[in-house]
Amino acid sequence: MSDRIREKLNILADAAKYDVSCSSSGGTRKNDNKGIGDSHSSGICHTYTEDGRCVSLLKILLTNHCIYDCLFCVSRKSNDIKRAAFTVDEVVDLTMNFYRRNYIEGLFLSSGIFKNADFTMERLLLVCKKLRLEQRYNGYIHLKTIPGASEELIKEAGLYADRMSINLEMPTEAGLKLLAPEKNHADVIKPLDFIQQNIVQFAADKKLIKHVPKFVPAGQSTQMVIGATPESDKDIMYTANAFYKNFALKRVYYSGYVPISNDSRMPVLGTQPPLLRENRLYQTDWLMRFYGFKVQEILNDANPNLDVDIDPKLSWAIRNMQHFPVDINKADYKMILRIPGIGVMSAKKIVQARKFGKLRIDQLKKIGVAYNRAKHFITCADSPYQLRDYQGTQIKAFIMAESQSKYLKTDNNQLILF
Amino acid sequence: MIYIFDGSLTGLLTAVFEWFERKPGPTTLKVNTIFQPEAFTETVEIMSNQEKADRVWKGLQKKLKKDWQRTFYCSYLSEIPEAYDHLFQFAIYIFENEPGAAANYGNNHVIALAKYAKSVEREKHRMEAFIRFQKTGDGMFYTSIDPDFNVLPLISNHFKNRYADQQWIIYDLKRKYGLHYDLNTVEEVTINFSESATNPNPPLALMDEKEALYALLWKDYFKSANIVARKNTKLHLQHVPRRYWKYLTEKQLA
Ligand code: SF4
C-alpha cells in the first residue's frame, strides 16, 4: 500500500514540476468554520528545491495519462514513460496530511487529459469539493482549467478554487502550431475569458448582495515555455502584456524549456535551460507590473531582445540618458522608481525621508540604495560635482567592471554555455 | 548618564518615563545582563513599573501609526542589546517631535529600528514556513524550534487561525517556553525535558502510526519536484540557510 502510493506520488509530482507557478498568494480564505487552514495573502514558501525554486504547494497531476501528443510535454501520448493515476481520495488524503504538518500552503492540481476534457475536469472538481465541504479545508487550491471542459464544470470549479490557470504554452500561435498541431491559443483564451467575466460578475454582485460566494479570489495565471521555439523576447513580452491587459491576469510565468525530447523541432536533449533569459523576462515583467514601465519602452523593433549582460532597467536607463541625472530631493516618485539601483522600498523611503531635509549620500546608502549603481543617474545634497557628462555606454562599462566578479559568480552555470 | 534596565519591555518603557521625569541629558540604555560599570559615567538602575510603562506605551500609540508600533515591538523582540538603546532613543525622539517623525529615514534610530524589525519579521516568516509538525500517538502536532529572535509572540495567531481543529505545541528550546493550542486558546507552557535534553523530539514510539509514512512521502515529493537540469545550490542556500535545515523533514537523511 505505501509502496504504491509512493510510486504514484513520484510519477505524478515529477510530471507536474514543469509548471513553474507555485505562488500561493492572493488567497483570501479565512478559517471561519473552525476547520483547517487559511490563506496568507502574500503566500508562504515552505521550502525550496535544490534548484532554488519555492515550494509552496503540493503540485501534482491527477494522472499523466493523456490523449494528446504535445511535443514539449513529458506526459505526451507517444512518450514511453510510466503512467499512474491518483484516486480522488488519495489526493485529498495527501493534501490534508501535508497541510496539517505545515509542509505546504495548499494544493496545485493539474492533469493529463484522459478520455475527454469533461471527464477530467469532473475529477478535479470532485477533489476540490471533498476538500472544501467534507474536510472543511480553507487552504489554497490552484486548479488547472482543462481546455475544452464545459462551462458549467469550470464555473463550479471556480467556486472552490482560489486560483485557476491555463497555459498558453508557446508565446505565439505559430510556435504552438509547430509543436502541438492539435492545439491553438483560442482554446486557452475562451476559458480564460469565461472565468474573467465571472470574476467580474461575482465582484459586481458582491456590491449589491451580502453573501456572494468567492469565485477564483486569487485570479488567473498562465505560463509560456521559453526557448523551445524561436520567438523573440519582444514577441514573448508583448503576448504577456496583452494577456495581463485583456484578462486581468495575476501572473504570467516564463518557463525556460528543459529538453525532454529528441524531436528535431526543439533544442536537443542535454541543452541547458535558458535560465538567464528567463530571469531577464521576469525582470521585465516586474518593471511592467510594479515600476510603471510600458512594455514598448523596454522592447521594440530597435531592441527586440533583452540585454544578456545587464538587467532591463539599467538597459533602459542607458538608452535614455536624457532623463538623467535625477534629483533625489525633487523628482517625483515615478521617476525615482526608474533609477537603476533603487527598488520600490527604497523609493518609498526616499519620498518620505526627504520631507525632513535634503538627503545625503550616506543616508541613501542606509536606506538601501545600491549607491554604486545609482550614483551615475542621480544628484543629491552632497553629490560630487561632475566635470563632464558620461555617455550611456561608458556608464555601462563602469557598472559592468564593478559588478564583473559578482556577476561571474552568480551566473557561472550560465556562462559556461556561451 | 547610563540607565540600566532588566531586559523587559516594561523596563524599557519605564526607562523612557524616568528620562522625561528627570531630563538628565544624553543617556544610554543598557541591559543589566551585559552591563559593565564604567568609572566616570553615572548610572541609574531603572525599576520596572507597569503603570509608568503603560503610560509611555499609550503615548507612543498616539504618536505612532500601527506599522511603527509593530516595528517598535519587533525590534524589542530581537533581544539585541544595541537595539534596546535605539528603542530608547527612538522613543525620546518620537515624543520630542511632531507625529509622523517615524517616517524620517534620515534619522539613525529610525533606520536602525527598521532594520531590526525587518530581521525579526524575516525570522517570524521563516518559522511560519519552516516549522514541521510531527503527529504524536495522542493526536498532538508537535514541533520544537530555536529561533534567532524571540518570535513566538508573533507567530501565535498565525498558527491558531490556521490549525484551529488540531492540538499543537510549538516549543522554543532556546528560551525554554512554548505555545500550546488546546482547540480553544493558546497558552504559554514550559516542559521539563529530563533525560533527553539534547534531543527534545518525541521518540518514534510515541508517534502516530502514519507519521513516518507522511514524512517519507514528503521527502519523496521534495526530491521529485527538483529539476536536476536547473540545479542552483547558491540560490537554494540563500533561501534556506543551513541553520534552518534541522527543522526541515525533507532535509533529514534517515
Ligand atoms: S494536453 Fe497537456 S498533459 Fe496532454 S500532452 Fe498536451 S500539455 Fe501534456
Side-chain angles (χ1 to χ4, degrees):
Chain A
M1 155 65 200
S2 81
D3 284 349
R4 184 63 193 130
I5 190 87
R6 281 185 76 183
E7 188 184 14
K8 282 189 191 181
L9 181 60
N10 287 341
I11 294 172
L12 296 169
D14 190 81
K17 71 186 172 193
Y18 299 96
D19 204 310
V20 292
S21 156
C22 192
S23 161
S24 55
S25 63
T28 55
R29 246 166 259 276
K30 295 257 163 335
N31 188 353
D32 45 19
N33 54 358
K34 202 118 201 210
I36 177 158
D38 57 2
S39 313
H40 202 274
S41 63
S42 56
I44 296 179
C45 291
H46 282 270
T47 189
Y48 293 82
T49 52
E50 282 169 16
D51 52 31
R53 291 177 310 144
C54 157
V55 178
S56 176
L57 305 172
L58 169 63
K59 195 192 297 180
I60 47 176
L61 302 187
L62 188 60
T63 177
N64 64 341
H65 289 284
C66 192
I67 54 174
Y68 286 98
D69 204 30
C70 311
L71 211 53
F72 50 83
C73 175
V74 265
S75 303
R76 68 190 180 278
K77 186 173 59 183
S78 64
N79 202 14
D80 182 19
I81 49 160
K82 271 198 183 168
R83 306 278 166 174
F86 280 125
T87 65
V88 167
D89 285 330
E90 281 169 342
V91 175
V92 170
D93 189 63
L94 273 176
T95 307
M96 291 307 294
N97 276 289
F98 280 11
Y99 196 87
R100 287 193 180 285
R101 288 169 176 74
N102 206 42
Y103 296 166
I104 53 171
E105 282 300 287
L107 173 67
F108 179 153
L109 188 60
S110 175
S111 184
I113 298 171
F114 53 113
K115 285 202 180 142
N116 58 52
D118 271 353
F119 190 84
T120 310
M121 195 71 209
E122 262 169 33
R123 295 291 170 298
L124 298 184
L125 174 59
L126 203 57
V127 171
C128 297
K129 282 174 91 164
K130 283 212 169 191
L131 281 170
R132 294 281 190 234
L133 304 176
E134 287 179 14
Q135 305 288 331
R136 292 190 303 168
Y137 165 84
N138 302 302
Y140 201 83
I141 298 180
H142 178 153
L143 197 66
K144 263 273 105 94
T145 312
I146 301 298
S150 73
E151 295 198 335
E152 294 81 75
L153 285 174
I154 291 177
K155 188 164 177 181
E156 197 181 355
L159 295 171
Y160 302 104
D162 292 289
R163 167 162 294 177
M164 293 182 76
S165 69
I166 182 163
N167 290 347
L168 278 168
E169 308 296 7
M170 297 303 145
T172 59
E173 186 81 37
L176 187 63
K177 275 273 166 292
L178 187 68
L179 303 184
E182 303 158 287
K183 291 197 161 178
N184 55 58
H185 274 180
D187 290 346
V188 175
I189 289 171
K190 207 172 133 240
L192 267 179
D193 190 39
F194 175 72
I195 292 171
Q196 175 54 20
Q197 282 174 21
N198 274 284
I199 292 175
V200 171
Q201 184 61 48
F202 273 75
D205 290 353
K206 195 159 180 117
K207 288 207 182 108
L208 305 172
I209 317 162
K210 225 181 176 179
H211 293 288
V212 178
K214 289 186 191 306
F215 187 84
V216 200
Q220 300 191 87
S221 64
T222 193
Q223 168 174 304
M224 289 186 261
V225 176
I226 303 308
T229 43
E231 285 93 350
S232 68
D233 292 342
K234 175 177 166 242
D235 293 333
I236 296 167
M237 293 314 299
Y238 277 46
T239 299
N241 186 51
F243 276 81
Y244 274 127
K245 292 242 150 67
N246 298 340
F247 306 105
L249 293 189
K250 284 291 173 342
R251 287 295 300 272
V252 173
Y253 291 92
Y254 312 90
S255 171
Y257 177 67
V258 180
I260 40 104
S261 153
N262 263 325
D263 192 281
S264 61
R265 281 166 285 181
M266 292 188 301
V268 295
L269 282 177
T271 311
Q272 278 289 313
L275 299 184
L276 184 56
R277 182 178 184 202
E278 186 187 289
N279 186 20
R280 294 281 179 253
L281 292 169
Y282 276 115
Q283 287 173 328
T284 307
D285 186 278
W286 278 68
L287 291 181
M288 286 158 49
R289 290 190 301 138
F290 303 116
Y291 286 79
F293 282 88
K294 288 205 179 70
V295 67
Q296 295 83 356
E297 294 181 273
I298 304 169
L299 289 158
N300 43 51
D301 288 336
N303 306 283
N305 285 302
L306 298 166
D307 276 330
V308 177
D309 50 1
I310 53 172
D311 68 78
K313 191 177 177 191
L314 180 57
S315 181
W316 176 83
I318 282 169
R319 291 203 309 260
N320 293 276
M321 286 307 288
Q322 72 275 15
H323 296 298
F324 299 102
V326 168
D327 185 342
I328 286 290
N329 288 304
K330 292 210 185 92
D332 65 2
Y333 174 71
K334 274 191 191 151
M335 197 56 220
I336 290 182
L337 262 187
R338 290 185 168 228
I339 302 168
I342 297 185
V344 175
M345 293 300 280
S346 306
K348 282 191 180 147
K349 283 183 182 158
I350 286 170
V351 291
Q352 289 188 41
R354 68 187 182 185
K355 291 183 200 146
F356 297 88
K358 289 205 165 178
L359 295 174
R360 300 180 310 266
I361 296 169
D362 64 307
Q363 290 170 312
L364 291 178
K365 285 182 179 166
K366 279 197 183 147
I367 280 172
V369 171
Y371 183 74
N372 272 339
R373 177 167 289 229
K375 70 180 176 198
H376 304 288
F377 305 95
I378 61 170
T379 56
C380 60
D382 56 348
S383 286
Y385 181 69
Q386 198 138 7
L387 275 180
R388 60 195 192 99
D389 280 348
Y390 287 109
Q391 299 292 313
T393 45
Q394 288 169 296
I395 291 174
K396 177 174 165 179
F398 290 146
I399 292 177
M400 294 273 299
E402 234 157 49
S403 58
Q404 192 58 260
S405 52
K406 202 166 111 202
Y407 172 72
L408 280 172
K409 261 184 239 142
T410 337
D411 289 312
N412 56 6
N413 59 352
Q414 283 295 314
L415 290 180
I416 297 166
L417 308 175
F418 301 119
Chain B
M1 174 74 76
I2 297 178
Y3 278 5
I4 315 288
F5 84 120
D6 60 4
S8 70
L9 186 57
T10 311
L12 194 151
L13 295 170
T14 308
V16 177
F17 186 95
E18 300 295 353
W19 190 87
F20 277 99
E21 282 283 293
R22 301 172 207 190
K23 291 274 175 80
T27 303
T28 315
L29 182 70
K30 295 199 168 162
V31 62
N32 57 10
T33 47
I34 61 148
F35 170 66
Q36 310 238 328
E38 287 165 36
F40 301 106
T41 320
E42 196 188 334
T43 60
V44 172
E45 188 149 352
I46 300 296
M47 293 297 153
S48 291
N49 178 312
Q50 196 59 48
E51 249 170 70
K52 291 175 181 174
D54 286 346
R55 277 180 60 187
V56 171
W57 184 242
K58 284 226 178 69
L60 281 173
Q61 281 177 313
K62 279 198 200 109
K63 287 271 203 166
L64 293 175
K65 292 213 190 94
K66 274 261 150 56
D67 56 335
W68 271 97
Q69 294 173 28
R70 185 170 170 103
T71 301
F72 191 92
Y73 183 48
C74 286
S75 301
Y76 168 73
L77 293 176
S78 75
E79 301 174 328
I80 297 170
E82 299 84 65
Y84 295 142
D85 186 50
H86 277 297
L87 283 161
F88 176 71
Q89 311 297 348
F90 173 84
I92 293 172
Y93 161 76
I94 289 298
F95 281 123
E96 288 188 330
N97 285 281
E98 292 303 305
N104 182 6
Y105 285 95
N107 176 292
N108 257 334
H109 309 301
V110 169
I111 209 101
L113 258 62
K115 285 220 171 94
Y116 290 126
K118 197 173 161 199
S119 308
V120 172
E121 296 276 15
R122 193 203 288 134
E123 186 74 351
K124 165 203 180 261
H125 191 76
R126 280 180 166 152
M127 288 304 127
E128 289 173 356
F130 296 155
I131 274 176
R132 300 285 182 260
F133 287 116
Q134 292 179 293
K135 189 181 182 186
T136 64
D138 49 10
M140 176 73 74
F141 286 81
Y142 178 86
T143 189
S144 58
I145 58 176
D146 61 345
D148 292 352
F149 311 115
N150 181 20
V151 295
L152 278 189
L154 299 175
I155 63 178
S156 174
N157 269 337
H158 169 83
F159 285 98
K160 180 173 179 237
N161 293 336
R162 173 158 298 204
Y163 298 111
D165 73 343
Q166 71 189 35
Q167 285 213 49
W168 50 260
I169 290 176
I170 302 171
Y171 202 79
D172 185 335
L173 296 168
K174 209 186 269 174
R175 292 163 191 85
K176 300 198 172 37
Y177 80 107
L179 302 174
H180 170 219
Y181 171 71
D182 65 358
L183 301 180
N184 289 306
T185 49
V186 179
E187 258 158 33
E188 276 189 23
V189 290
T190 50
I191 305 176
N192 270 325
F193 297 104
S194 45
E195 75 275 21
S196 56
T198 46
N199 178 22
N201 278 332
L204 264 181
L206 293 180
M207 286 298 170
D208 181 84
E209 49 175 8
K210 289 262 185 81
E211 179 55 36
L213 172 64
Y214 287 113
L216 187 62
L217 288 169
W218 174 243
K219 281 190 219 173
D220 286 349
Y221 175 71
F222 181 70
K223 255 182 252 144
S224 301
N226 185 38
I227 298 179
V228 179
R230 299 179 61 114
K231 189 172 166 83
N232 186 340
T233 310
K234 191 178 166 190
L235 190 60
H236 175 65
L237 287 176
Q238 197 178 313
H239 287 307
V240 204
R242 273 181 212 278
R243 67 179 188 282
Y244 295 97
W245 288 17
K246 59 178 177 284
Y247 298 127
L248 302 175
T249 312
E250 62 274 21
K251 285 287 185 190
Q252 310 312 314
L253 293 173

